[in-house]
Amino acid sequence: MSDPIRISRAATKKPKPKDSELTFGTVFTDHMFVMDFQEEKGWYDPRVEPYGPFPLDPAAAVLHYAQAVFDGLKAFRGRDGQVRLFRPQKHVERLIQSSQRLCIPPLDPDLALKSLVTLVGIEKDWVPSTVGTSLYVRPTIIASEPFLGVRPAKSYIYYVILSPVGAYYPEGINPVKILVVDKYVRAVEGGVGGAKTGVNYAASLYAAEEAKHAGFTQVLWLDGRERKYIDEVGTMNIMMKIGDEIVTPPLSGTILAGVTRDSALSLMRDWGLRVSERPVTIDEVAAAARKGTLEEVWGTGTAAVISPVGELAYKGERLVINGGRIGTLTQKLYDAIVGIQYGTAPDTRGWTVPV
Ligand code: COI
């Protein structure tokens, strides 16, 4: 049996933004969930407390060697008023897998799920209701031990913060322009690309900034060894429709096991589509674009859900996809996932957890 969750309420409440003013990840709610780990005690003192900074020793391992993991999921307010978390168990599972790769002691999955449901329950009023808005949930674990040697830390903090959000990309569901980079890579085989850890995002910044300066929304990452195979798009998994085949790179360790990726694949398989998780080269994609068989390209991720790609730029060539418009399948997937998230379509797979 784990410790009961202590709850201390904030003395004052912050004003809540209007749904129409929501951006991504700039506003935080009144409370957060916190739990500590010490080698002798294990995980202890799970609690909800007022949102705010916590003291961290300047020597804390996370600040020096980036021993940390996080995850990201969402709670939605349906048209029926019901708040639902989307696939929280799957996110907990991934947080624990990421922890294992970063030598962070695993959370008890039941307690982790309870931390999410409890905190979102307390902050229910913060869940916005317009379609396209949600409450983003950010569980995080950081190594807090003050120690400058390089080895797994002996103390950690697990915390969960909440942020009411709108669209991740200003483009919303409109297609984005993507630059294919072969000068930089995000991850290499045997590295930490498959774990949700901050270093992957830090490693992506330089290339993403270069792409932005050149007028693109994000980059498409190629594999670290040959710079030939497609890995991910920005912070998202990538899928494409080439003729009648839907192709997405396999989970080989360099890319993240996206929950939206998994959701999209299972929906498309249920719809009887030919779905392949297989290596796909940028040359194959470029050839398909030239031939006119690259029908649709989209990214999948929790933050943006489904983000259509309207253009890929590779070695100076512009590959325009579906005339720069969202494709039929991309739209169908978006509608299907969003329908389940907001409770307007039946959740036959048990993906949502009511709060
Ligand atoms: C996602 O949910 O798609 C992401 O990985 C982006 C997040 C790091 C803001």
Side-chain angles (χ1 to χ4, degrees):
M1 264 297 278
S2 53
D3 299 347
I5 298 173
R6 278 197 298 124
I7 295 176
S8 29
R9 302 259 174 189
T12 54
K13 299 279 178 70
K14 302 175 199 169
K16 296 181 181 64
K18 293 198 191 88
D19 284 15
S20 59
E21 289 165 359
L22 291 171
T23 55
F24 189 88
T26 51
V27 173
F28 301 95
T29 68
D30 296 310
H31 300 88
M32 60 186 185
F33 183 94
V34 186
M35 180 163 64
D36 301 298
F37 177 92
Q38 276 174 23
E39 202 176 36
E40 329 71 76
K41 292 178 150 176
W43 287 106
Y44 68 98
D45 196 13
R47 58 199 185 273
V48 172
E49 53 186 46
Y51 183 97
F54 27 62
L56 203 57
D57 194 293
V62 64
L63 301 177
H64 300 269
Y65 310 123
Q67 197 196 356
V69 292
F70 69 94
D71 219 284
L73 65 156
K74 283 175 167 175
F76 300 86
R77 186 180 298 281
R79 208 178 286 162
D80 53 359
Q82 175 71 55
V83 171
R84 298 172 178 85
L85 276 162
F86 187 68
R87 309 195 71 183
Q89 296 95 333
K90 194 95 182 143
H91 286 276
V92 163
E93 210 178 279
R94 188 171 68 181
L95 183 67
I96 293 170
Q97 276 159 9
S98 300
S99 301
Q100 190 177 22
R101 183 65 182 82
L102 272 288
C103 297
I104 292 174
L107 296 170
D108 166 10
D110 294 334
L111 180 58
L113 179 63
K114 206 165 148 196
S115 71
L116 307 176
V117 174
T118 306
L119 185 64
V120 173
I122 287 174
E123 302 289 56
K124 232 179 186 170
D125 289 352
W126 281 90
V127 186
S129 56
T130 313
V131 171
T133 68
S134 56
L135 188 67
Y136 187 74
V137 182
R138 171 54 65 87
T140 307
I141 307 175
I142 57 171
S144 54
E145 185 192 359
F147 178 65
L148 294 184
V150 178
R151 58 144 171 79
K154 293 183 179 176
S155 56
Y156 297 86
I157 304 170
Y158 166 64
Y159 63 94
V160 186
I161 54 173
L162 306 176
S163 175
V165 298
Y168 184 72
Y169 289 129
E171 287 93 337
I173 187 71
N174 294 317
V176 292
K177 283 190 190 170
I178 300 292
L179 179 66
V180 182
V181 285
D182 53 9
K183 187 169 163 198
Y184 309 107
V185 295
R186 173 189 170 273
V188 291
E189 256 174 70
V192 294
K196 205 154 176 77
T197 179
V199 292
N200 289 324
Y201 299 81
S204 76
L205 296 176
Y206 198 88
E209 282 302 292
E210 271 195 9
K212 270 179 213 155
H213 288 132
F216 297 91
T217 304
Q218 256 300 350
V219 298
L220 185 142
W221 300 103
L222 299 178
D223 75 284
R225 196 193 322 209
E226 296 180 74
R227 319 260 164 123
K228 192 170 143 186
Y229 294 96
I230 288 177
D231 259 4
E232 291 193 341
V233 59
T235 59
M236 308 180 86
N237 296 120
I238 187 163
M239 299 186 173
M240 50 223 116
K241 183 167 186 284
I242 304 177
D244 69 355
E245 183 190 19
I246 291 85
V247 188
T248 196
L251 299 178
S252 59
T254 60
I255 69 171
L256 196 74
V259 176
T260 312
R261 176 188 182 278
D262 181 82
S263 308
L265 291 179
S266 85
L267 283 165
M268 290 188 294
R269 286 187 172 124
D270 285 358
W271 296 337
L273 299 176
R274 186 152 77 92
V275 178
S276 313
E277 294 174 66
R278 64 162 174 89
V280 52
T281 63
I282 186 65
D283 288 340
E284 177 186 348
V285 172
R290 288 184 212 112
K291 242 184 21 193
T293 54
L294 181 63
E295 295 176 11
E296 301 184 35
V297 179
W298 66 93
T300 64
T302 295
V305 189
I306 298 284
S307 175
V309 175
E311 185 179 319
L312 289 171
Y314 180 53
K315 291 193 193 295
E317 187 181 2
R318 288 179 58 216
L319 309 168
V320 177
I321 300 135
N322 195 39
R325 292 181 309 273
I326 184 169
T328 316
L329 176 60
T330 311
Q331 183 73 56
K332 183 174 171 183
L333 268 176
Y334 175 82
D335 292 342
I337 295 175
V338 164
I340 298 169
Q341 290 175 332
Y342 290 91
T344 49
D347 174 16
T348 54
R349 297 164 187 83
W351 282 348
T352 61
V353 170
V355 176

